[in-house]
Each structure stands twice: as structure tokens, then as C-alpha cells.
Amino acid sequence: MKGPGKYVFAFEEGDGKNKMLLGGKGANLCEMTQIGLNVPPGFVITTESCLYYLDSKEHDLPVGLMDEVRSHMSALEQKTGKHFGASDNPLLVSVRSGSAMSMPGMMDTILNLGLNIETLKGLIARTGNERFGWDAYRRFIQLFGKVALGVPDEEFDVEFEAVKQKAGAKQDVALSARDLHEISDRFLDVVERVTGKPFPDDPMEQLEIAVKAVFGSWTGRRAVDYRREFNITPDMANGTAVNVVTMVFGNLGDDCATGVGFTRYPDTGENRLFGEYLVNAQGEDVVAGIRTPKPIDALQEEMPEMYQELLELRNRLESHYREVQDFEFTIENGRFYCLQTRNGKMNAVALVRTSVEMEREGLINKQEALLRIQPALLEQLLFPRLDPSTRATPVARGLPASPGAAVGHAVFDADRAEKQGRDGLRVILVREETKPEDIHGFFASQGILTARGGKTSHAAVVARGMGKPCVAGAEGIHVDVTMRKAFVGDSTISEGDLITIDGTSGDVYIGAVQMIEADFSSELNTLLQWADDVARLKVMANADTPQDADRALKYGAMGIGLCRTERMFNAVDRLPVVVEMIVAETTDARQQALDKLLPIQREDFKGIFKIMAPRPVTIRLLDPPIHEFLPSENQLVEELDQLRHLKDTVMGMNILSDAVRFMYSGQQQPSIDCLIDPRLVEEAVEKKEAMLKKVRALYEVNPMLGHRGVRLGLSFPEIYSMQISAVLEAAAECRKEGFDVQPEIMVPQVCTAQELNRVKSYVDAVHQVVEQKYGVSVNFKFGSMMEVVRACMRAGSLAEEAEFFSFGTNDLTQATFSFSREDAENKFLPMYNERGILQDNPFEVLDIKGVGKLMELAIGWGRETRPGMKVGICGEHGGHPASISFCHAIGLSYVSCSGPRVPVARLAAAHAALLEAQS
Ligand code: ADP
Ligand code: MG
Ligand code: MG
């Protein structure tokens, strides 16, 4: 096989932009050298040589590579005045790996290469420091033995400890030159024993072995695992380069030091030098944590000139790279060297702050400021989260159902949660699963934890809507409501115990874990403003209540893309009226209940309209099957059973009471309280029986595909008419009060244009009445959800009536795959993902090839009928950056997502526009 021709680049000649060829570390060493920073002389062996080596049958280095290396070593000798392998002023080098992507810990660096008994003598003579010399030697033998020859660390550790003990030394620094000499000898023996060959003495042979070891490490277990874990593909990083760098010593005395620096604070982003250093130490000591390093500010006192050099380096690095840098330095006898630089890894807080500040400093432009932050990272800022510096161990793990973390006292039913919450206690509602009637407990809780249910379980959906943290389906937990205890493995949580849940990871902890509050800084606002300026997609929020709307506005929502009216029905004071409406046997009785609901809904809408004015608010008419508002059949049967028992008891009490009155007539009677009228019980039994009958009548085999959405609306027109009246009346009242409101009425589950036409006729009728009644004109838009495959296929005809479309991609994904989400996620999806049958969970990551194709077709057909038609997406996908970029590409007008994800979506929408312009 023919190699690439040129395998080795001196730091003076390598192309600092070509990380694929030279690796990140190598490219930056070249670049730093070329801009005049003080980097020890060295050279890079290319990643192509590595690939050649790995591809060759016998693992041969490309022909001519070692010749190039030799001539570059001669050049190093020229530059440094030292000699490789000489006993007088020997040249020592480090051999460092580095691929295009930083892969920490992939391979250890070999330091002090070139040492043997002869060169060691030279080193000791040069430095006049025998202890230093032997220390360097034993470090080299161990590192080379381990990294290049595969000798296990423990083999060395045993010998090291033995000598240390013999010498009575507690710490490594207490070892004398003689001890280190003995250690070196023992290490040499270890290598010979384990490898069957003496330790290689010839420096050029050492170098060749080391280069091969670095190349080989690319396919080693650690590297392969790392690439798999972080999805590093060959087009991101292919093979590793080898950097050969002249050794400089930070451990030659007290005018020597070594350290690491960050050009800005990596945790806060503050524009101030951050770092740590150690005097008289070698680089690895800082990282290894053997000695505790000092904060970089102390260097100002200790070595003021060096500190100035450091500040200078910091400015040069930033102005050159226009990015926060993370660098390594070593000071050898008062001379300052930079050994490495790379882009600093920062948390979201620091990224946002540095983006805005670097733009203001003129270092980067707005586009760069936006593009250097991955949208998903912003989520960190928008929820309270666990303090990463505290390391608590979770007792259970469930699904990360609604992001954010919460600490509170465990409470096992909604009533108590509400009561204690009102009393000012921070509580977490812990249930096997939750139901609509638990809703009041949600309001009072910091977070919700359930033992059963998936990401679309009641608990998950409601918590997400409210922006409260939720861990769902934590199967390790068993809740016993009557005992007021929950059991997790060997631990028991009693009611009132503090627990912590992390809805971002799904982890559950016993006790209170330290938290960091959410933080919507002014810098974040600035950054997102820039994002809105470049984005084409508008970002709306899903919000069901005025409180949700208020919060969405703070996150920068440009309107409400989905307001689910049924969520309003769930409030404690409303559910009974809703139930009354459902169980009504006659249209009249139903109308009576609806008449009570109308003003309530109208007030809700008014609240939302006013908050959002003049932004659009899209209201979806009732969607779920109505039995969802009723108790379950099982629960009713059980309650009826208990009521019937109670009836006997109550009768017994009455008999007792009569008896007492008879026995004590004329005297003072013992009081018997808690008398209940048996008729009351009778009445309750009747009510429950009626309810049970209704529940049984409403029973559906497949409720999600059954009597719901527009189908329900057409069966009971009075329900939709009430909702439409509430919307339009609210709009009229707002108009009268001077608010500019933009209501949009949206019909769910549509599959044919006929359905839309009929609902539109109700809307028109109500509209006329409302305009007459209020004497104002009321504008509104009328549109269709697109969540049924047939609707997509008939988009052209739906668009004749619909002024806008909104893709409900959760249902549409279910319909396209014919998967029910809960079953899929709980049963076979993980297996599908694991075996690569499906790449992602299509309910989290929009399935571009299938569902996306359908969307694309529907948009095209819709806009043929109605040019420029407004089309959006509501549902979880609307907040997912990759899906947003697709939505941009197919020309959607807006995405709508839960409030806290709005900032993520705003940045993602900007990225989509910027990246499109770039390509
Ligand atoms: P990593 O990729 O793990 O950071 P490095 O190649 O940067 O590995 O090296 C590990 C340590 O060795 C660092 O502290 C670095 O500063 C130090 N080091 C590497 N090369 C030299 C050298 N030529 N002279 C002095 N110290 C060095
Ligand atoms: Mg390093
Ligand atoms: Mg739907």
C-alpha cells in the first residue's frame, strides 16, 4: 500500500486548520508556534500514517516514515542544541497522541523519552540534580512500560510501595535519589520479567515503539468505547496523530512550575483568567491530584513576571482563536512555555455569558455567538437542577418525564399534598400513578413521582404542561397509601421524609440534594433576541392556563400554538360540572351543565388572550374521549361496595339511637353524634350507579382511536358550540376592553373536509350571534390539526376550509407507524433502538423519512389550495432542535412547544436559518 508521501510536519510548517490530518493537539501546537507563542520545538506525525499503519497487514509503519522522523529529530537537535541519545546535554521528548476530536484519557502521554543509563548521566550532570534525574527516569520506565509495552500498572506499584516502605517515606517527595535509583532498577526488572525482553535502551528504538503504540491505541478498547459512547464517526475523527515534543521541566526547582489555565471562568463565563498551578512539579501532577494545586492568582505574588506572561498568553490565544481557550503551561527555570491549547468546555451559563461578552468585545460576530451554543444546552438554564458538585447516589430511576429537579417532603395523596402545600410546605406528590382527580395535588407540589406509567402518562403530560419536574414509572418504588410508606429496595420512605427527584435524568434520591436555581439572565435574553432576528420560524408555546401563558411569555413565546381546553376541565371546582355534563341523559340536562361551564371557559380564554395580546392564541376544541374525566370502572365498583356496607351501618346507628332514646327517656341522654341520614347514602349509591352505567356505556376497546376529537364534537354539537362561544365571547369582551386579540380555533382529529365544514358552520352561527350581542367585530382564524394520515393525504381539500394547519406529531407518529406510544415505549421500542431497527425513538425525534415526508406532502398540497398558508407543529417534537431544523427546511411557519423549551426552540430556529445560509 502506498502512503500519503509526507508523514511528518514540524510545528513551524503544519497547517493549524487541518485537525483531521494533524489532530486537534497537533494542529494547535503548529498554529501556536506559527503565531510566535513559546512552544517547545516538536513535530506531528499525521493521522494518515496512523490509518496506513492500522490497515497494513503486519502493522508496518509506512516506508520512509522513520526516515522523516529521524530528520525531524535532527532538526530538533539543531533548534535546541541538545542531542538525542547523547550523554552530554541529552534531548528528551514527550510522545503525545491527539485526534481531530478531543478524547480525554484515550492514551497516556509518554514523558522523558530518550532516557537510558548514559543519557541519564548527562541529564544529571546538566541539571546538577541527581534526585530529579532518577525521578525522571523511573517515571519514564513506568509510563513507557505501561503505555508502549503493556505492562500493568500494578506491577510497578508493588515495587514502588516496597521501596517507599523500606525508606520509611510517607510521601513520594520524601524519596531520596538513592530510593528513586532503586525504584528505577526494580522497574527495569519488572519490564524484563513481564515482556521477556530487556527495556529498550536505544532512544530511536524507544521512539519507534512509542509511535506504534500511539497508533495502535486508536483501535484499543478505551478509544473504541469512547467513540461509541459519544457517537464519534470516522468523518469526525479518523486515526490519531502523534506529537513529539521537546521536554521542558517544571520540576527542576522553585523557579519552575506547571499548570493549566482557562482564558475565562468555565463555570460562570466571567472574563478573568482561571487556572491552577504547582511549583516544582511535572505536568501530570496537576491533573493526577497527587498534590493540591494553587489558584492561578497566587502566581502573581510568587512569580510576577511569569504571571504577566500568562496574561499575555491569554490575550494572544483569545484574540487569535476567538474562542475561550483551555491551555497547559510549564515554567522551566523562569522560562514560560505553552504546551497545549484547545477550545474550553463550558457549561451553559458560561457559554451564554461569553457569547454575549465576546460579541461586545468585537471578538466574534452575532452569528458566531449564536452558533457556538448547542440549543439543547440551554435547557440547563431553564429549570432548577441538581448541583453537579454534590455526588448523591440515586435510590431509584424512572423515566425523565418532565425536566428540572425538585426537593420536597414525600406525600402520598393529592388531598394531603394540597393541604400541606397550602400550609407552605414543599412537597413532592408520590403515587403509583396519577389520575385527573389528583390535579389539585399537582398545583401544590414541587414535583411528581410515579411508580407506573410512561412519558405520556397523566402525570408526565400534566407535569410537563405545568413545567413541574416529574419522574414517571420509577418501577423500583412501591407506594402503600394506607401505610403511608413507600418502599425502594431496602429503604423506606415515610410520609414527610425529604426526597429529591431529577426530572431531567429520571433519578430519585432520598434526602435533600443541593440544587441550583433556574436562571434567565439578561445575557440569555440578549442572545435570544439575536436569535429571533435571524430565525424564520416563529416559536409558540403550548399553554393551557393563564399561568402557563404568563410563563410562556417570559420565555419569549410569540404566541400560543396549542391551548388544550380539556386541561381547564380538570381543575377541582370544574370537574364535577364536567362530569355532570357527561352523565347527562338528555340534551337539556347537558345544556344546563354546559351553561355553567361557558362562563368559566370564557374567563380562562379572556385571561390568556389579555396576557398574549396582540399575539395569536390557538385553541383546540375538546379532544380526549370523555370517559377520561370519569372515575374508572374498578374504582366505582369498589366505592359502591363500600357505600352499601355503610348503608347497613347507618341503619344500625339509627336503631341504636332510637334504642337509646327509649332506654334513657326522661333522663339525660348520652350523646350519639355522627348520625347520617340513610337517604343520603341511598342518594350517593344512586349517583354512583348511574355513573357506573355511564362508564360502562362509554367503554371503548380502543379509546385513542375511538369516540374523540371532532367525532365527539359532531355527536354532541352543544359541547363544541359552548367552547366556540366561550372563545368568541372572550375575544369580543377583550376587544371592547381595548385588547388586540388574535384567536384561532382549531379542530382535532380531523380526517375529512366534511368534518371541518360542519364544525365551521357552528362557528359561523356562533360568530354571528356574538358579534350582534357585543356589537363589535371579532376576527378569528379557523384551522385543522393534522394528526391523521388521511388528513395529510387530503390536505388540498381541507385547506379550502382551514386557514391554517397544525401538525400534531405525537398522534401523527402513532398513526404513521401504527404504534401506540405507551405500548411501544414500554415494550419493544428500546429493543428496536438497541438492535438498530429504528435509530431513534420517533416520539422524541421526529421521523423525518416517514412522518416528515407526510408533512412535506401535506404542506405542498395545502399551499396549492391556499398559497402562503400558515402551517405549524405542536407537540414535543416542536421543541427538539433536530426536528426544528427539519421544520425550517420544509417551510413551516412556526413551531409550538412547552414553555420552558421555548428558548431552546428559538436558538434552534436561528441555527436552522444560519446553517441554511451557510450551505
Ligand atoms: P492529555 O491529552 O491527556 O492532556 P498531554 O499530551 O497534554 O495529555 O500530556 C499530559 C501531561 O504531560 C500534560 O500535563 C502536559 O503538559 C505534560 N507534557 C506533555 N508534553 C510535555 C513536554 N514536552 N514537556 C513537559 N510536559 C509535557
Ligand atoms: Mg493535555
Ligand atoms: Mg392529538
Side-chain angles (χ1 to χ4, degrees):
M1 199 194 298
K2 206 197 151 303
K6 180 168 170 62
Y7 306 109
V8 184
F9 291 84
F11 290 168
E12 289 83 355
E13 58 176 344
D15 173 6
K17 301 281 170 291
N18 198 345
K19 294 192 174 161
M20 272 317 268
L21 185 68
L22 304 177
K25 193 182 284 171
N28 280 332
L29 285 167
C30 291
E31 184 117 334
M32 287 196 294
T33 303
Q34 291 163 32
I35 62 171
L37 296 177
N38 200 26
V39 176
F43 54 86
V44 193
I45 308 174
T46 63
T47 57
E48 280 177 4
S49 330
C50 170
L51 295 179
Y52 177 97
Y53 169 85
L54 294 172
D55 278 351
S56 67
K57 258 205 217 90
E58 306 276 315
H59 274 192
D60 297 317
L61 292 175
V63 182
L65 173 74
M66 281 313 290
D67 292 334
E68 278 190 50
V69 167
R70 268 184 285 273
S71 80
H72 277 90
M73 287 305 291
S74 310
L76 283 194
E77 293 180 331
Q78 293 267 303
K79 285 173 210 163
T80 60
K82 302 178 187 223
H83 298 282
F84 197 47
S87 55
D88 178 34
N89 196 12
L91 170 64
L92 303 183
V93 294
S94 65
V95 176
R96 317 163 71 185
S97 69
S99 72
M101 303 280 294
S102 148
M103 297 167 59
M106 183 177 82
M107 206 200 93
D108 294 321
T109 293
I110 299 171
L111 299 173
N112 308 335
L113 186 136
L115 276 179
N116 56 32
I117 280 298
E118 289 307 311
T119 55
L120 174 60
K121 279 187 199 140
L123 184 67
I124 292 174
R126 259 279 148 174
T127 58
N129 188 335
E130 203 178 346
R131 187 186 181 282
F132 160 77
W134 285 106
D135 189 45
Y137 194 34
R138 64 96 191 171
R139 282 181 199 247
F140 169 57
I141 303 166
Q142 174 161 8
L143 269 173
F144 188 90
K146 173 182 153 191
V147 177
L149 304 174
V151 179
D153 252 340
E154 304 79 67
E155 298 279 353
F156 295 110
D157 293 343
V158 176
E159 303 299 333
F160 191 82
E161 284 309 315
V163 176
K164 217 166 137 181
Q165 222 159 40
K166 212 170 78 179
K170 280 214 178 65
Q171 285 188 318
D172 296 3
V173 279
L175 294 167
S176 67
R178 260 189 49 210
D179 300 330
L180 292 163
H181 184 160
E182 184 178 348
I183 291 172
S184 302
D185 285 344
R186 287 184 180 221
F187 279 8
L188 288 172
D189 290 343
V190 165
V191 171
E192 180 152 5
R193 177 164 51 76
V194 176
T195 65
K197 278 187 262 179
F199 188 88
D201 272 340
D202 174 29
M204 200 46 90
E205 189 190 342
Q206 293 173 353
L207 187 55
E208 183 167 345
I209 295 172
V211 168
K212 287 180 174 175
V214 174
F215 285 165
S217 73
W218 183 252
T219 48
R221 174 87 193 276
R222 271 205 266 172
V224 172
D225 285 351
Y226 190 93
R227 291 199 292 274
R228 182 172 342 102
E229 177 69 25
F230 293 96
N231 288 322
I232 297 176
T233 54
D235 57 311
M236 295 158 78
N238 208 4
T240 176
V242 180
N243 303 287
V244 178
V245 188
T246 306
M247 282 303 300
V248 289
F249 297 101
N251 53 343
L252 273 173
D254 286 342
D255 58 348
C256 301
T258 186
V260 295
F262 250 88
T263 55
R264 301 184 189 220
Y265 270 52
D267 52 348
T268 62
E270 190 185 342
N271 187 2
R272 190 153 74 91
L273 179 66
F274 172 85
E276 293 178 327
Y277 73 102
L278 277 172
V279 170
N280 196 8
Q282 208 161 26
E284 44 184 7
D285 300 345
V286 178
V287 195
I290 299 170
R291 285 161 57 189
T292 310
K294 298 182 187 172
I296 205 77
D297 294 338
L299 193 70
Q300 193 165 10
E301 301 274 303
E302 213 164 358
M303 303 182 190
E305 275 169 44
M306 293 295 107
Y307 188 74
Q308 282 312 313
E309 292 246 14
L310 205 55
L311 291 184
E312 167 77 17
L313 174 71
R314 161 177 180 250
N315 293 340
R316 304 257 332 249
L317 285 177
E318 276 212 349
S319 60
H320 181 76
Y321 285 99
R322 301 160 66 241
E323 180 55 272
V324 175
Q325 295 293 301
D326 163 0
F327 58 91
E328 295 174 359
F329 64 91
T330 286
I331 296 165
E332 181 185 278
N333 300 132
R335 247 194 91 116
F336 187 95
Y337 294 92
C338 187
L339 288 174
Q340 184 179 337
T341 193
R342 61 183 164 205
N343 292 347
K345 282 203 169 54
M346 283 167 281
N347 66 20
V349 175
L351 273 168
V352 169
R353 175 163 175 183
T354 51
S355 257
V356 173
E357 291 187 349
M358 291 198 303
E359 194 273 344
R360 290 196 177 131
E361 293 157 22
L363 223 45
I364 56 177
N365 62 30
K366 287 184 178 146
Q367 303 196 356
E368 290 164 325
L370 289 165
L371 285 173
R372 70 192 271 280
I373 305 177
Q374 285 311 306
L377 268 181
L378 292 189
E379 202 160 304
Q380 279 182 21
L381 303 182
L382 306 167
F383 301 102
R385 57 192 193 278
L386 298 186
D387 185 342
S389 65
T390 63
R391 287 183 211 300
T393 319
V395 289
R397 168 168 286 189
L399 297 167
S402 177
V407 177
H409 301 272
V411 176
F412 301 125
D413 73 73
D415 293 341
R416 270 198 207 202
E418 184 182 38
K419 188 173 169 306
Q420 303 197 347
R422 286 229 176 105
D423 293 347
L425 206 63
R426 298 174 71 86
V427 301
I428 291 185
L429 180 61
V430 183
R431 303 278 290 161
E432 283 286 320
E433 62 193 339
T434 62
K435 293 222 177 60
E437 59 264 31
D438 291 329
I439 190 86
H440 54 296
F442 280 60
F443 290 119
S445 301
Q446 307 298 316
I448 289 86
L449 168 61
T450 66
R452 279 204 304 268
K455 281 195 176 179
T456 50
S457 62
H458 176 264
V461 173
V462 175
R464 270 202 298 278
M466 293 184 180
K468 296 203 172 181
C470 173
V471 173
E475 289 183 355
I477 299 180
H478 169 64
V479 183
D480 189 326
V481 182
T482 36
M483 280 179 68
R484 304 250 150 230
K485 283 188 190 325
F487 303 94
V488 201
D490 303 333
S491 323
T492 306
I493 304 170
S494 301
E495 194 157 68
D497 287 356
L498 274 174
I499 60 170
T500 304
I501 62 170
D502 182 351
T504 314
S505 67
D507 286 331
V508 180
Y509 305 82
I510 291 183
V513 180
Q514 191 67 38
M515 306 252 282
I516 299 176
E517 277 310 308
D519 169 24
F520 209 94
S521 62
S522 70
E523 281 105 356
L524 181 55
N525 268 323
T526 306
L527 189 86
L528 291 174
Q529 203 56 57
W530 298 345
D532 295 347
D533 291 343
V534 298
R536 190 176 69 216
L537 279 170
K538 299 265 176 281
V539 179
M540 311 283 173
N542 299 345
D544 305 329
T545 60
Q547 296 91 303
D548 286 356
D550 205 36
R551 210 160 43 103
L553 204 56
K554 292 208 181 81
Y555 288 122
M558 303 165 203
I560 289 178
L562 176 65
C563 172
R564 288 158 293 195
T565 48
E566 60 272 12
R567 283 275 315 284
M568 303 173 172
F569 287 173
N570 271 326
V572 235
D573 49 332
R574 301 168 182 193
L575 198 56
V577 190
V578 175
V579 170
E580 189 185 323
M581 168 193 81
I582 295 169
V583 298
E585 288 295 341
T586 62
T587 316
D588 259 4
R590 179 167 307 109
Q591 192 59 53
Q592 271 178 24
L594 286 168
D595 289 346
K596 283 188 227 165
L597 280 175
L598 174 69
I600 300 177
Q601 286 235 295
R602 190 175 54 217
E603 285 312 303
D604 286 334
F605 293 144
K606 262 181 86 173
I608 296 177
F609 288 161
K610 282 186 188 172
I611 289 169
M612 296 310 293
R615 301 167 187 82
V617 175
T618 308
I619 289 159
R620 181 178 72 184
L621 299 175
L622 189 66
D623 181 38
I626 44 179
H627 70 76
E628 279 202 359
F629 298 100
L630 302 182
S632 70
E633 181 176 354
N634 279 345
Q635 187 188 343
L636 283 169
V637 168
E638 213 168 278
E639 284 173 359
L640 268 170
D641 216 36
Q642 285 176 354
L643 279 175
R644 290 196 185 108
H645 278 301
L646 179 63
K647 208 166 103 186
D648 290 343
T649 313
V650 169
M651 306 254 271
M653 290 290 289
N654 279 299
I655 294 169
L656 174 66
S657 153
D658 285 347
V660 166
R661 209 172 307 139
F662 180 73
M663 292 185 300
Y664 290 81
S665 66
Q667 315 166 31
Q668 173 147 30
Q669 295 186 4
S671 78
I672 304 175
D673 25 30
C674 80
L675 274 188
I676 299 175
D677 186 347
R679 274 174 309 182
L680 215 56
V681 184
E682 200 84 56
E683 206 178 306
V685 169
E686 270 165 30
K687 274 249 162 72
K688 293 272 175 201
E689 275 173 343
M691 180 98 82
L692 181 60
K693 207 171 123 209
K694 196 75 195 179
V695 166
R696 285 180 173 150
L698 289 175
Y699 170 79
E700 288 177 302
V701 178
N702 236 325
M704 285 304 137
L705 301 175
H707 204 181
R708 60 177 291 206
V710 66
R711 308 186 279 273
L712 195 70
L714 294 178
S715 306
F716 305 103
E718 56 280 11
I719 299 180
Y720 270 20
S721 290
M722 179 280 285
Q723 294 199 299
I724 295 163
S725 302
V727 172
L728 296 179
E729 287 180 8
E733 290 185 9
C734 288
R735 280 292 315 261
K736 288 195 110 167
E737 292 175 37
F739 290 93
D740 178 11
V741 296
Q742 311 289 336
E744 305 192 344
I745 296 174
M746 180 161 79
V747 189
Q749 299 291 331
V750 172
C751 64
T752 151
Q754 277 301 314
E755 292 168 330
L756 268 187
N757 295 341
R758 302 210 175 184
V759 178
K760 183 66 187 332
S761 73
Y762 310 160
V763 174
D764 288 338
V766 171
H767 187 229
Q768 219 180 2
V769 172
V770 170
E771 285 197 336
Q772 248 166 23
K773 181 169 152 199
Y774 288 87
V776 287
S777 71
V778 177
N779 300 325
F780 70 94
K781 277 202 169 75
F782 180 76
S784 177
M785 287 282 285
M786 301 296 269
E787 50 189 342
V788 172
V789 177
R790 193 177 190 282
C792 294
M793 303 318 283
R794 299 294 296 151
S797 121
L798 297 191
E800 282 168 18
E801 196 69 87
E803 291 166 274
F804 66 91
F805 287 157
S806 176
F807 288 100
T809 45
N810 190 47
D811 274 316
L812 190 57
T813 301
Q814 300 202 80
T816 307
F817 281 82
S818 290
F819 289 174
S820 110
R821 178 172 184 174
E822 291 271 287
D823 294 327
E825 286 183 342
N826 290 331
K827 305 229 157 63
F828 56 84
L829 254 186
M831 180 272 284
Y832 262 45
N833 292 148
E834 217 157 87
R835 299 200 192 156
I837 299 170
L838 280 177
Q839 201 91 53
D840 297 299
N841 176 348
F843 297 103
E844 282 171 4
V845 181
L846 186 72
D847 162 48
I848 287 171
K849 291 186 187 143
V851 178
K853 187 75 202 166
L854 211 50
M855 292 169 68
E856 212 177 336
L857 288 172
I859 296 171
W861 290 327
R863 286 188 179 154
E864 244 168 57
T865 305
R866 191 183 285 272
M869 182 178 192
K870 175 169 164 177
V871 183
I873 177 177
C874 57
E876 256 172 272
H877 295 114
H880 183 273
S883 311
I884 291 172
S885 130
F886 175 73
C887 291
H888 172 94
I890 58 172
L892 284 192
S893 326
Y894 69 90
V895 297
S896 187
C897 55
S898 73
R901 287 201 72 90
V902 165
V904 175
R906 287 165 73 193
L907 185 56
H911 275 213
L914 290 173
L915 294 173
E916 182 188 62
Q918 271 180 13
S919 64

